[in-house]
Amino acid sequence: MIDQQMSLRGGAAELPVRARTGRFLVLAVVFICAACGLVYELELVALASYLIGDSVTQASVVLSVMVFAMGIGSLLAKRLRGRAAVGFGLIEAALALVGGTSALILYASFAWLGESRYALVGFSLAIGILIGAEIPLLMTLIQRVDRQDAGGAVADLFAADYVGALVGGLAFPFLLLPMMGQLTGALFTGAVNAAAGGALVLWVFRRDLGTRSRWLLILVNCAVIALLATASVMVDDFERAARRAVYGNEVRVAVQTDEQEIVLTGSRRGSLDLYLDGRLRVSSRDEHRYHEALVHPAMKGAHRRVLILGGGDGLAAREVLRYPDVTSVVVVEIDPAVTRLARTDPALSRLNGHAYDDPRLTAVAGDAFMWLRATHDRYDVVISDLPDPGITASTKLYASEFYGLVAGALEPGGRLVVHAGPTSSRPTTFWTVEASVRAGGLVTRAYRVDGRLTGFAAGPDRAATGGAEAPRDWGFVLAAHQDTGRLSLDPGAPALRTLGERELLAGRRSVERLRQRGVLPSTLVHPRYWEEP
């Protein structure tokens, strides 16, 4: 009826504001909704990368599903154009609810169900459909405000939409995450989304609404905002409960830094586990086998000056400092909170032998790649004690360019040792790291140590590892400017097994097949190439 009256009058709809003001308000809401929509997308990508790993794959899944769903939403919105005002108000309320609670539900599915992939796809689809339904309805609303040509309306809408997306994309990493965190930031965004959409319809287009529709929108928007506000008040309790579900009841320390989430679990006298971004970094049950195998082969030779890349937990430094003729140890750790924890936590500092109290040790906060670019110092031994090579964020630290920088920091007779991932469950990852070390200009000797008792992930392992086979060993690459000679350890250290000629040839052949597919050494450690071709 309203549309028929507008058609008979041949002009803009009768509004409580002037046409220019109404047009400005519609475009302002487009701007806000676009910013909120992009925050929802980035929130899903960030949380999925943390929970599942492999940020490239998670970003591809979220964005592709969401763009596809936006097309579906645009088609479905055609049925609502006759009641554009109430339709837009309800869609914004639904989008605020779904997008605002998406991070909470995604994290809950990981913590209590052990699987978050299906929830990720479901939220990407739902949010995409709702975002896609916005533009057709907004086109109808802006033409009711100001009867301009369709091309001009489309240009104005997309301009406001793109600028809003820019602001949302910048606000997420620089404002929302640092100030509120992932869960509260998503809830706050949902509340803003609901308030903006509801205010536009209930004020500017209130004369397009019947009494029943008006009260429906008021109740729905108030309920959504109240639910999001209540959830934001309970976020801390939720995080504690979820953390207990993931890590158990003996969480000693849990902190979110600018770099990662750090969780330390275990009793003061029992086992101790250190998790970084949900992935097990250290377990007191078997860490001695890993760190002895990592450090001691590289120390057979000159070792007065030692550089440790990563290893902020101080456990590799503990093994290095056992040598009385070591004069200097430099630990380059990107997250100063890790070194602070290793220095101050009683259980962890006891496990690392109070390495940070040794005057020979110097801790440097910085990115290993950038630090190597800037340094002019030379070292007898470089120990790469970095996150697992399958983690996308650490890929550059396993690239041939990185090992070229390491080679430049080695003394002529110096040695490099690299943790290259398990050889049993991820052989291609291991051998591609070895290939990248060789591409950096060094000769290599590969070896491994068995007896690994722990895997990669916290709590529901299948969520973080994708159900992959639990690793049974640690693989290492020893490298130098010249032949590294025979491998050996001090008496009592875990026995090493040098990988034989047959394994060496098989591993290098698999890497060569990947090279023939056009994959460079710098990219071979990406999780996409974990499986044997």
Side-chain angles (χ1 to χ4, degrees), residues 223-481:
V224 168
I225 293 174
L227 179 62
L228 295 174
T230 303
S232 66
V233 172
M234 300 177 65
V235 158
D236 289 342
D237 293 334
F238 170 82
E239 286 186 327
R240 282 192 289 270
R243 197 172 286 123
R244 285 195 297 270
V246 174
Y247 299 105
N249 294 321
E250 295 185 336
V251 176
R252 293 170 51 83
V253 177
V255 60
Q256 179 68 51
T257 72
D258 292 338
E259 302 294 336
Q260 59 199 342
E261 182 189 54
I262 302 173
V263 176
L264 185 65
T265 69
S267 60
R268 290 181 178 273
R269 296 185 177 181
S271 63
L272 196 69
D273 294 327
L274 175 64
Y275 297 90
L276 302 180
D277 274 345
R279 293 169 178 81
L280 183 62
R281 187 72 178 90
V282 169
S283 175
S284 61
R285 289 170 287 174
D286 57 9
E287 63 81 17
H288 64 284
R289 298 184 65 83
Y290 167 81
H291 288 100
E292 289 176 2
L294 173 72
V295 170
H296 294 299
M299 300 294 284
K300 296 300 178 181
H303 51 247
R304 295 178 62 83
R305 290 171 51 81
V306 180
L307 172 64
I308 301 176
L309 303 174
D313 49 52
L315 297 168
R318 175 197 66 196
E319 298 301 319
V320 171
L321 293 170
R322 295 184 190 278
Y323 293 82
D325 50 345
V326 169
T327 60
S328 171
V329 180
V330 177
V331 177
V332 181
E333 169 62 52
I334 192 170
D335 192 347
V338 175
T339 57
R340 185 164 55 249
L341 182 66
R343 181 184 289 112
T344 59
D345 182 81
L348 185 56
S349 62
R350 184 167 57 251
L351 187 63
N352 65 36
H354 303 281
Y356 284 97
D357 295 335
D358 195 306
R360 294 175 291 173
L361 188 148
T362 301
V364 177
D367 177 81
F369 196 103
M370 301 306 296
W371 189 87
L372 283 170
R373 275 186 169 178
T375 189
H376 299 289
D377 296 333
R378 296 292 179 268
Y379 297 89
D380 299 307
V381 177
V382 176
I383 297 169
S384 180
D385 186 17
L386 295 165
D388 188 82
I391 300 173
T392 306
S394 66
T395 297
K396 70 174 183 178
L397 303 179
Y398 290 89
S400 57
E401 295 85 355
F402 177 73
Y403 295 122
L405 294 174
V406 174
L410 280 174
E411 293 285 3
R415 292 183 170 198
L416 161 70
V417 65
V418 177
H419 163 233
T423 64
S424 57
S425 57
R426 295 176 181 172
T428 301
T429 300
F430 177 86
W431 289 110
T432 50
V433 172
E434 190 267 348
S436 294
V437 176
R438 285 188 287 112
L442 299 170
V443 295
T444 62
R445 182 69 60 86
Y447 65 99
R448 79 181 199 193
V449 62
D450 296 317
R452 184 170 186 164
L453 303 177
T454 53
F456 291 116
D461 287 350
R462 61 184 179 277
T465 63
E469 178 188 355
R472 302 186 303 273
D473 63 358
W474 292 280
F476 305 92
V477 176
L478 185 63
H481 290 295

